[in-house]
Amino acid sequence: AIQMTQSPSSLSASVGDRVTITCRASQGIRNDLGWYQQKPGKAPKLLIYGASSLQSGVPSRFSGSGSGTDFTLTISSLQPEDFATYYCLQDYNYRWTFGQGTKVEIK
Amino acid sequence: QVQLVQSGAEVKKPGASVKVSCKASGYSFTAYYVHWVRQAPGQGLEWMGSINPSSGGTDYAQKFQGRVTMTRDTSISTAYMELSRLRSDDTAMYYCSRGRDYWGLGTLVTVSS
């Protein structure tokens, strides 16, 4: 099974900061990677699919990059509503694996 | 609009089975895989498997092989996930999703004696 290693597991940041979260796949997954935001008590929300495509309705401060094994989610200017937990998801060959999650907290 | 409506919360005893439903609307049910993902309290997301509503074909995560069964009823656009031989560590929120993009609100399954 493909393993996803996500880092960091948590981070503290201030409003306006640039935030970067990374995921590394244990084997190449082309660009079959998505990023999700989850707030407490809510279902995950898709932000990015295909490694770099912005889901409809998601603010442009969110962006994704990478291909193969290394991927990045960037929030260009952190907003108060962005404090949440973020997960990467690989769906290579339709079998999913999530990263462990990154909790973004207020500094 | 696309909606996935899941069945209500369940409380089960260890060793029992639970069957969660996921009713789809707003799109062609047979056109997208339905995935099941669970999240234990305070933990991350865990993929359980998927079903192709068109063919009924399934793909289960190795961890759940032998304990999980995913089915569908195309006449009512509903997918089902049944988990058997429940243990206390199966206590979790169970989500269905249409591919990657649309998710149900989740069904809380509590396993307790």
Side-chain angles (χ1 to χ4, degrees), chain B:
Chain B
Q1 71 283 21
V2 173
Q3 280 194 303
L4 297 170
V5 178
Q6 297 186 223
S7 49
E10 302 263 14
V11 179
K12 296 291 184 180
K13 293 192 182 301
S17 297
V18 68
K19 190 171 186 177
V20 179
S21 67
C22 172
K23 182 171 177 58
S25 61
Y27 73 98
S28 174
F29 177 64
T30 55
Y32 295 83
Y33 279 58
V34 173
H35 293 256
W36 291 89
V37 173
R38 77 176 189 180
Q39 186 171 38
Q43 302 302 307
L45 300 167
E46 181 175 36
W47 182 74
M48 300 180 69
S50 65
I51 183 167
N52 178 342
S54 179
S55 66
T58 56
D59 187 11
Y60 303 142
Q62 187 169 6
K63 175 177 179 176
F64 299 101
Q65 291 272 4
R67 275 209 309 145
V68 72
T69 304
M70 295 177 188
T71 57
R72 93 293 189 215
D73 184 339
T74 56
S75 69
I76 56 172
S77 300
T78 300
Y80 302 91
M81 186 284 299
E82 184 170 21
L83 188 62
S84 63
R85 303 193 300 280
L86 289 169
R87 307 184 292 255
S88 57
D89 61 358
D90 290 318
T91 293
M93 186 70 80
Y94 289 77
Y95 294 102
C96 64
S97 75
R98 183 197 86 161
R100 292 169 296 201
D101 50 6
Y102 288 92
W103 291 57
L105 297 182
T107 296
L108 180 63
V109 176
T110 302
V111 183
S112 174
S113 55

Side-chain angles (χ1 to χ4, degrees), chain A residues 4-17:
Chain A
M4 300 301 296
T5 303
Q6 185 174 340
S7 62
S9 56
S10 65
L11 64 89
S12 295
S14 301
V15 172
D17 283 354

Side-chain angles (χ1 to χ4, degrees), chain A residues 4-89:
Chain A
M4 300 301 296
T5 303
Q6 185 174 340
S7 62
S9 56
S10 65
L11 64 89
S12 295
S14 301
V15 172
D17 283 354
R18 183 182 182 88
V19 168
T20 299
I21 300 168
T22 65
C23 262
R24 173 166 287 176
S26 59
Q27 67 180 71
I29 57 170
R30 302 176 303 210
N31 67 340
D32 295 333
L33 185 109
W35 290 97
Y36 289 82
Q37 176 192 70
Q38 188 181 34
K39 295 183 178 179
K42 300 293 187 181
K45 173 187 174 184
L46 180 65
L47 302 174
I48 301 286
Y49 64 94
S52 59
S53 298
L54 194 66
Q55 176 72 351
S56 176
V58 174
S60 59
R61 63 181 179 273
F62 292 94
S63 64
S65 64
S67 183
T69 60
D70 293 306
F71 302 88
T72 300
L73 173 71
T74 300
I75 309 172
S76 60
S77 177
L78 199 65
Q79 298 302 300
E81 60 268 29
D82 300 337
F83 291 96
T85 301
Y86 293 84
Y87 295 91
C88 64
L89 163 68

